[in-house]
Amino acid sequence: MRDILIAAAVALLLSLFGTPLAIRLFSRRGYGQSIREEGPSGHHDKRGTPTMGGTVIVLAALLGYACAHLMSWTTPTVSAVLVLFLMTGLGMVGFLDDFIKIYKQRSLGLRSGAKALGQLIVGAVFAVLVVRFPNAYDITPAETRLSFLRDFGPSITIVGFTVWVLIMIVGFSNAVNLTDGLDGLASGATGAVLASYILIGNWQLRNSCTTQLGPNCYWVRDPLDLAVVAAAVLGALVGFLWWNAPPAKIFMGDTGSLALGGVIAGLAITTRTQLLLIILAGLCVVITLSVIIQVGSFKMTGKRVFRMAPLQHHFELAGWAETTIVVRFWIIAGLCAAFGLGLFYIEWMPKS
């Protein structure tokens, strides 16, 4: 528990006081956000706001995690290092995307194929390594099975598992990216998921099959250290949100959104709660579905279901204030996380 608090506190302070430095640095260098001409007219005032703030989130989270282990003289675990690798690798893909946007002064950075290739390469390395490195109890960070509250069913083979992990990583990194359309929206939505994984990791530690065998115990390799990772990223995110809240002084950019999508996917895989993430991150899933529905409807019928996709822009064009949308969507994100946690804990409830 001490490591969780240290990681969160250090990451929060680094992000809270480091973000203003990033704002000044990016402003001097002209690292401002480009805005799509076809986007909501209210967004045009945001042109030039510093972007790539996700670099602060990633660095603060990494340093927060490292400080927690340095202060407790403990060794980082394989599970945590792999999740942090996934976060950092996807953050680097997002950084390239953001930098190209800034350098070429356009709203599109990496071509979609190049961006997807970067996500797939990082995801494939993670997928291959996450089923290796057994500990003394022969538990690896992940198994080649699907999971909801824990692993279930037969192995889907290493090939099938790799494909599934890639779908999760690409899907959720893009889902958070689509959610990052309004000031503070993606920060609040992913923050609720990260808070959930702090609780999940701590509960899995207390009910680990390595310490007490039982019908509901968990075969998770490093539950405590995964909670430390979630705490470090959450702390960094809260510090960043202080400056990213409407009206934002800085945007996280693809650097932050891809990294955050990667870290929640990595936590789901290593805590054996892959399908539960669909509920915990329900807001991001719904926003992604709105884009799929919009594109599919337009291609098949030539008609649009929403005024604009992703979903948050539909409500903007319907006349909702940006802060109203953000707060209401935060409430939805919190309810999704609470419902997911309820499902996680329900098997421990006394049966009358």
Side-chain angles (χ1 to χ4, degrees):
M1 182 59 72
R2 184 181 64 176
D3 286 357
I4 292 174
L5 295 175
I6 292 172
V10 171
L12 187 151
L13 292 173
L14 288 172
S15 181
L16 184 63
F17 294 106
T19 302
L21 300 177
I23 293 171
R24 289 196 289 271
L25 174 63
F26 294 163
S27 295
R28 282 201 302 267
R29 293 184 173 273
Y31 292 173
Q33 178 72 37
S34 298
I35 303 295
R36 291 184 305 162
E37 293 298 329
E38 65 272 20
S41 58
H43 287 210
H44 294 167
D45 293 339
K46 301 181 181 184
R47 182 177 284 109
T49 302
T51 187
M52 293 197 301
T55 54
V56 178
I57 299 173
V58 172
L59 291 174
L62 292 174
L63 290 171
Y65 174 82
C67 285
H69 281 280
L70 286 172
M71 294 179 72
S72 61
W73 291 96
T74 54
T75 304
T77 63
V78 172
S79 300
V81 169
L82 286 174
V83 174
L84 291 172
F85 159 77
L86 183 60
M87 176 187 73
T88 307
L90 291 176
M92 291 176 65
V93 174
F95 181 86
L96 287 174
D97 189 51
D98 288 333
F99 188 79
I100 291 172
K101 291 176 186 175
I102 293 165
Y103 183 76
K104 296 194 174 182
Q105 287 297 298
R106 65 187 192 190
S107 60
L108 297 176
L110 284 172
R111 295 184 181 276
S112 57
K115 188 174 178 179
L117 179 62
Q119 292 171 296
L120 290 172
I121 290 172
V122 174
V125 174
F126 175 83
V128 170
L129 295 178
V130 81
V131 292
R132 301 176 185 272
F133 307 106
N135 63 4
Y137 298 95
D138 202 33
I139 307 173
T140 51
E143 293 284 347
T144 57
R145 295 194 291 166
L146 298 177
S147 61
F148 181 50
L149 305 180
R150 53 178 51 78
D151 291 331
F152 66 86
S155 168
I156 57 175
T157 75
I158 187 63
V159 174
F161 179 76
T162 300
V163 172
W164 169 240
V165 168
L166 290 176
I167 291 171
M168 283 195 65
I169 291 170
V170 174
F172 279 101
S173 59
N174 286 330
V176 176
N177 186 241
L178 291 171
T179 305
D180 184 32
L182 300 178
D183 299 352
L185 180 56
S187 301
T190 50
V193 180
L194 290 165
S196 300
Y197 275 114
I198 296 173
L199 297 175
I200 287 172
N202 190 50
W203 186 257
Q204 289 177 333
L205 172 70
R206 295 173 183 273
N207 297 279
S208 173
C209 295
T210 61
T211 56
Q212 51 180 14
L213 281 172
N216 294 328
C217 67
Y218 301 99
W219 290 102
V220 177
R221 191 188 192 281
D222 307 298
L224 176 60
D225 215 24
L226 292 171
V228 173
V229 169
V233 181
L234 179 59
L237 197 57
V238 171
F240 178 79
L241 182 58
W242 182 269
W243 304 100
N244 182 234
K249 301 294 188 296
I250 187 171
F251 301 137
M252 69 171 64
D254 283 16
T255 308
S257 59
L258 295 187
L260 291 173
V263 79
I264 62 173
L267 287 169
I269 292 163
T270 50
T271 58
R272 319 292 177 94
T273 55
Q274 299 157 15
L275 297 177
L276 184 64
L277 181 59
I278 297 172
I279 299 171
L280 292 171
L283 176 65
C284 298
V285 173
V286 169
I287 287 174
T288 303
L289 287 174
S290 74
V291 175
I292 295 171
I293 292 169
Q294 184 85 326
V295 173
S297 175
F298 187 75
K299 286 187 174 181
M300 289 188 293
T301 68
K303 296 180 180 179
R304 293 179 172 86
V305 176
F306 306 103
R307 288 183 170 95
M308 181 178 288
L311 187 61
Q312 60 268 30
H313 298 322
H314 167 82
F315 290 105
E316 275 192 289
L317 296 183
W320 289 25
E322 180 173 353
T323 51
T324 301
I325 299 169
V326 170
V327 172
R328 287 177 177 173
F329 275 37
W330 280 355
I331 293 170
I332 294 170
L335 290 172
C336 289
F339 182 60
L341 281 174
L343 290 176
F344 179 78
Y345 285 112
I346 197 168
E347 64 183 356
W348 295 90
M349 298 295 289
K351 296 177 176 62
S352 56

